[in-house]
Amino acid sequence: DNWGQVKKLVASDGGGADYFGYSVAISGDRIVVGVVWGEAAYLYERDAGGADNWGEVKKLVAADGTTFDYFGGTVDISGDTVAVGAYNEDDRGNNAGAVYLFNRNQGGPGAWGQVKKVHGFGIGEADTFGRYLALDGDTLAVAAPNDDERESNAGAAYIFERHRGGAENWGEARKIRVRDMSTSGFFSWGIGLDGDNLAIGAYNAYNMYGVK
């Protein structure tokens, strides 16, 4: 029952101040590592390059990424799908945020191509959509802890589902807010998803809310 180190992972093209390892996630025989200053995420697989070796198989980048989007600030993986947050992306306003989704066979066998870029409906400047995220099967939960719809920085979370709105589309299913969340409560500053259960943290409020 010892937990011993089996591998040290490094980026094949890493550089100084990339912040490799800023975010990490594992699913079965795959690991994804976010590199927030490098604006990338790296995918590793067990047995790639040898038995029980964890070899790099893909560097993921946003199709339209720009400097300081913080692509790679959050990552998660579930089966053949990877989600990468870019919580300072600017399409919907300065630092509004976005999440990118990649599938293993998109663009060819083992290509790990980008399939979707999602924004929460109504997000705007400084909402930091994608600051945290969780992926489980065909469901994606995304945090926007600086969302201002209820109060300034009260926060919100968004649920997306695969195939909603079309085959392989990731459509928004729901936006979750807490009615009595206070100003700067930062609801969704921490999010976890397992099947039909969702846990959402609000570290500057009086409680932690669990939502199902």
Side-chain angles (χ1 to χ4, degrees):
D1 290 332
N2 184 59
W3 287 83
Q5 180 178 322
V6 295
K7 183 73 176 183
K8 177 180 179 179
L9 303 179
V10 295
S12 59
D13 61 351
D18 276 355
Y19 283 17
F20 178 90
Y22 191 89
S23 57
V24 295
I26 188 168
S27 176
D29 291 337
R30 297 188 180 112
I31 294 172
V32 61
V33 181
V35 188
V36 66
W37 289 115
E39 304 285 352
Y42 292 80
L43 186 65
Y44 298 82
E45 291 183 352
R46 192 200 306 265
D47 299 329
D52 282 328
N53 184 63
W54 288 86
E56 182 184 317
V57 295
K58 185 70 176 182
K59 178 181 179 180
L60 306 176
V61 296
D64 60 351
T66 60
T67 304
F68 302 124
D69 279 354
Y70 291 177
F71 177 92
T74 51
V75 296
D76 205 357
I77 180 170
S78 180
D80 290 341
T81 303
V82 172
V84 183
Y87 58 88
N88 273 12
E89 192 269 351
D90 297 328
D91 273 3
R92 303 297 172 85
N94 188 44
N95 299 341
V99 172
Y100 295 79
L101 290 141
F102 301 81
N103 279 358
R104 183 169 66 90
N105 293 325
Q106 179 71 21
W112 290 98
Q114 181 179 315
V115 294
K116 185 74 175 179
K117 177 182 180 181
V118 298
H119 303 87
F121 179 77
I123 66 164
E125 183 171 348
D127 280 352
T128 62
F129 174 87
R131 184 64 181 84
Y132 298 97
L133 57 82
L135 178 67
D136 188 24
D138 292 335
T139 306
L140 171 69
V142 182
N146 296 94
D147 180 274
D148 298 325
E149 184 175 345
R150 294 288 194 217
E151 299 283 349
S152 176
N153 296 327
Y158 293 79
I159 304 297
F160 295 83
E161 294 175 348
R162 194 196 311 259
H163 308 311
R164 177 175 285 267
E168 294 300 328
N169 186 62
W170 287 84
E172 184 178 323
R174 185 166 180 199
K175 179 178 181 179
I176 299 172
R177 302 167 300 278
V178 176
R179 188 174 299 279
D180 62 351
M181 184 56 59
S182 60
T183 298
S184 297
F186 299 119
F187 177 75
S188 77
W189 199 284
I191 195 165
L193 176 67
D194 184 18
D196 292 334
N197 293 287
L198 177 67
I200 302 174
Y203 80 89
N204 211 34
Y206 291 109
N207 299 296
M208 172 172 276
Y209 295 86
V211 180
K212 181 177 180 181

